Amino acid sequence: MSELGARTWPELDGPAATLLVPVGSTEQHGPHLPLDTDTRIASAVAAGAAARLGANVLVAPPVGFGSAGEHEAFPGTVSIGREALRVLLVELGRSAGRWARRLVFVNGHGGNVDVLREAVVLHRAEGRDVRWFGCAPPAGFPRDAHAGRAETSIMLALAPELVRLERADAGNTEPLRTLLAALRTGGVRAVSANGVLGDPAGASAEEGAAMLAAMVSACVTEVTRPL
């Protein structure tokens, strides 16, 4: 049983545990993927890594809201912004650090990255073994920016009943670097009417399962490496 929430405190009154904290977002993922896609992916990677690493590695309840202001022009998106997320991650780590020997934020949303880096720097300055891992498909797999083939494949492997394939259409397929200026000023809606940055065509559960397995292996490596 790797879920922190299912444990009792005496079960943790022994060797200090490693705690994996999935960090996601609640944001639009095009017309075909659920709002909690990032949170589901982060949770699945954390759970897979914990299963590989053994009984003294626990998975915390996920942080389901992140910094996603770029998606707020689409209904359903809920962003808590950078500063609130930073405070949450810092205080979460300070509290868990009283009993956990290592804390790993397993992140599923690109908009959280800068805040995670800042939080980890602060935790390390305060003497904690805290790090973060980004759930991105490794080289050799599709890596479109948002709600394209990669995320669609992963969700087909994780929760196919939540994928509306009949609504899956290509969005803006230009390289992300060419869109950054417009994204910063107008958000995703300014560059993609349907909220997709990429093309879900060709997505499959088999490809998604392979991507998940690769991310779990990479996460295990990050969790176990010396600080």
Side-chain angles (χ1 to χ4, degrees), residues 5-86:
R7 296 291 188 95
T8 66
W9 76 260
E11 292 170 348
L12 302 180
D13 192 18
T18 293
L19 183 64
L20 309 184
V21 182
V23 183
S25 183
T26 300
E27 65 184 49
Q28 71 84 22
H29 272 77
H32 65 294
L33 294 181
L35 295 165
D36 64 351
T37 289
D38 292 342
T39 307
R40 286 178 182 271
I41 293 172
S43 297
V45 171
R52 291 258 301 268
L53 289 166
N56 210 34
V57 178
L58 302 172
V59 180
V63 176
F65 297 104
S67 179
E70 68 274 17
H71 296 284
E72 285 181 326
F74 295 90
T77 299
V78 180
S79 173
I80 61 172
R82 291 170 55 93
E83 187 54 35
L85 179 63
R86 180 183 179 277

Side-chain angles (χ1 to χ4, degrees), residues 38-128:
D38 292 342
T39 307
R40 286 178 182 271
I41 293 172
S43 297
V45 171
R52 291 258 301 268
L53 289 166
N56 210 34
V57 178
L58 302 172
V59 180
V63 176
F65 297 104
S67 179
E70 68 274 17
H71 296 284
E72 285 181 326
F74 295 90
T77 299
V78 180
S79 173
I80 61 172
R82 291 170 55 93
E83 187 54 35
L85 179 63
R86 180 183 179 277
V87 170
L88 189 157
L89 298 179
V90 168
E91 295 304 325
L92 190 157
R94 284 172 174 165
S95 180
R98 295 176 65 86
W99 55 268
R101 71 180 184 89
R102 177 171 295 161
L103 183 72
V104 183
F105 294 113
V106 180
N107 179 53
H109 171 53
N112 296 338
V113 168
D114 288 344
V115 178
L116 280 161
R117 288 175 175 155
E118 294 170 5
V120 166
V121 167
L122 178 59
H123 281 304
R124 290 183 180 177
E126 293 180 349
R128 297 179 197 91

Side-chain angles (χ1 to χ4, degrees), residues 29-37 40 151-152 154-167:
H29 272 77
H32 65 294
L33 294 181
L35 295 165
D36 64 351
T37 289
R40 286 178 182 271
E151 286 186 316
T152 303
I154 293 170
M155 288 302 296
L156 284 170
L158 282 180
E161 71 280 4
L162 298 180
V163 180
R164 288 76 158 174
L165 272 181
E166 71 281 2
R167 303 180 190 170

